[in-house]
Amino acid sequence: MDNTLRLKYLDAMGIDVWVSKAPIDVKPRLPAVDAIVDGGSDRPAINDWNALQTEVSNCTKCALCETRTQTVFGTGNKNADWLLIGEAPGQHEDEQGKPFVGNAGQLLTEMLRAMGLAREEVFITNIIKCRPPRNRDPHVDEVGRCNGYLQRQLAIIQPKIILAVGRIAAQALLNTDMPLARLRGKVHNLNNTPLVVVYHPAYLLRSLPEKRKAWQDLQLAMQTIKISED
Ligand code: URA
């Protein structure tokens, strides 16, 4: 996406594109996972993270392993306060092995920046780690088989807040078929972690009228994490 277009989208969302790039005051709660030595901690150690990554990369739990180029485990800070969970890798993600790297990903990066967050300080993943053929919606059994990986990522990261990015991720995480319009605008609870539902950036690229609501959702998330720190 070129810069002019990107700025147009952010402007339509009501986001001041000149906001500071300095991160908001989110203090790391826990030592970096790398710093944790095995044993003696109730937090899983770095070996668990590496083992999980290896397990995901070799996964054959569902038929998506036959069509993927590679798995997309997620990227960012494994000790992040913010965990963003999208739907599934698309073509670019499947090729590069990283989540949200296409046009929608660029908009997501800008949305994060507008919140004062860099991609490197949050962790971004998806409810499933392999691309469904032709980007179809993930099947229920694929989400179910992949869920253990997401739960282990959650247990290791222990985020302060989860952003469910888009309807499919929100419905899967909250185990509901409610429409996104009813899921957004409130703070949910996922195993004692606050969860805020936000519009998928791919949808925002297609739908100008929703962009202001999208910024409201991000502001709700920022307020929620601030309250949890006070
Ligand atoms: N859309 C998603 O939900 N996840 C990605 O990683 C890319 C696009």
Side-chain angles (χ1 to χ4, degrees):
M1 194 190 319
D2 72 25
N3 206 35
T4 318
L5 189 59
R6 187 169 52 76
L7 293 177
K8 195 182 106 194
Y9 283 120
L10 290 170
D11 188 49
M13 282 173 73
I15 294 176
D16 176 1
V17 291
W18 303 113
V19 291
S20 159
K21 290 182 190 168
I24 57 171
D25 184 25
V26 281
K27 291 173 203 74
R29 227 173 355 145
L30 293 157
V33 173
D34 300 78
I36 298 172
V37 182
D38 280 359
S41 166
D42 61 353
R43 190 181 166 91
I46 183 65
N47 286 349
D48 297 340
W49 186 259
N50 292 344
L52 179 57
Q53 254 181 314
T54 306
E55 227 179 287
V56 168
S57 67
N58 295 322
C59 181
T60 55
K61 283 182 197 249
C62 79
L64 296 181
C65 67
E66 288 158 25
T67 49
R68 74 181 178 221
T69 305
Q70 58 193 310
T71 57
V72 180
F73 181 75
T75 55
N77 177 5
K78 50 187 172 293
N79 192 30
D81 287 335
W82 293 75
L83 175 62
L84 280 69
I85 308 176
E87 176 184 333
Q91 183 191 343
H92 299 293
E93 291 76 20
D94 174 71
E95 284 164 6
Q96 295 182 39
K98 295 179 186 152
F100 284 99
V101 288
N103 273 348
Q106 286 182 39
L107 181 56
L108 186 68
T109 305
E110 293 305 328
M111 288 158 65
L112 285 169
R113 189 186 290 178
M115 294 195 288
L117 293 165
R119 262 184 90 114
E120 303 71 46
E121 64 189 300
V122 305
F123 195 82
I124 307 178
T125 189
N126 287 301
I127 52 169
I128 63 169
K129 313 302 187 208
C130 297
R131 180 191 182 201
R134 295 173 306 285
N135 297 346
R136 64 158 169 74
D137 290 353
H139 292 161
V140 172
D141 73 300
E142 292 159 356
V143 175
R145 284 166 202 262
C146 223
N147 184 44
Y149 298 137
L150 183 62
Q151 294 309 320
R152 283 161 67 190
Q153 287 179 312
L154 254 167
I156 295 174
I157 298 169
Q158 297 184 15
K160 284 187 182 169
I161 190 162
I162 297 167
L163 291 190
V165 184
R167 177 182 63 84
I168 305 270
Q171 289 179 338
L173 290 166
L174 297 170
N175 194 20
T176 178
D177 54 9
M178 270 193 207
L180 189 128
R182 289 189 55 201
L183 295 172
R184 63 168 290 275
K186 55 184 82 138
V187 181
H188 303 265
N189 181 324
L190 187 72
N191 303 334
N192 294 324
T193 304
L195 179 151
V196 171
V197 175
V198 298
Y199 285 105
H200 197 288
Y203 172 72
L204 293 175
L205 288 171
R206 297 190 299 267
S207 171
L208 267 168
E210 305 294 18
K211 290 195 170 58
R212 279 181 192 276
K213 287 196 223 156
W215 182 229
Q216 286 165 11
D217 293 337
L218 300 180
Q219 284 177 313
L220 173 63
M222 287 190 283
Q223 283 157 14
T224 305
I225 197 166
K226 230 173 177 323
I227 290 165
S228 82
E229 287 169 347
D230 287 346

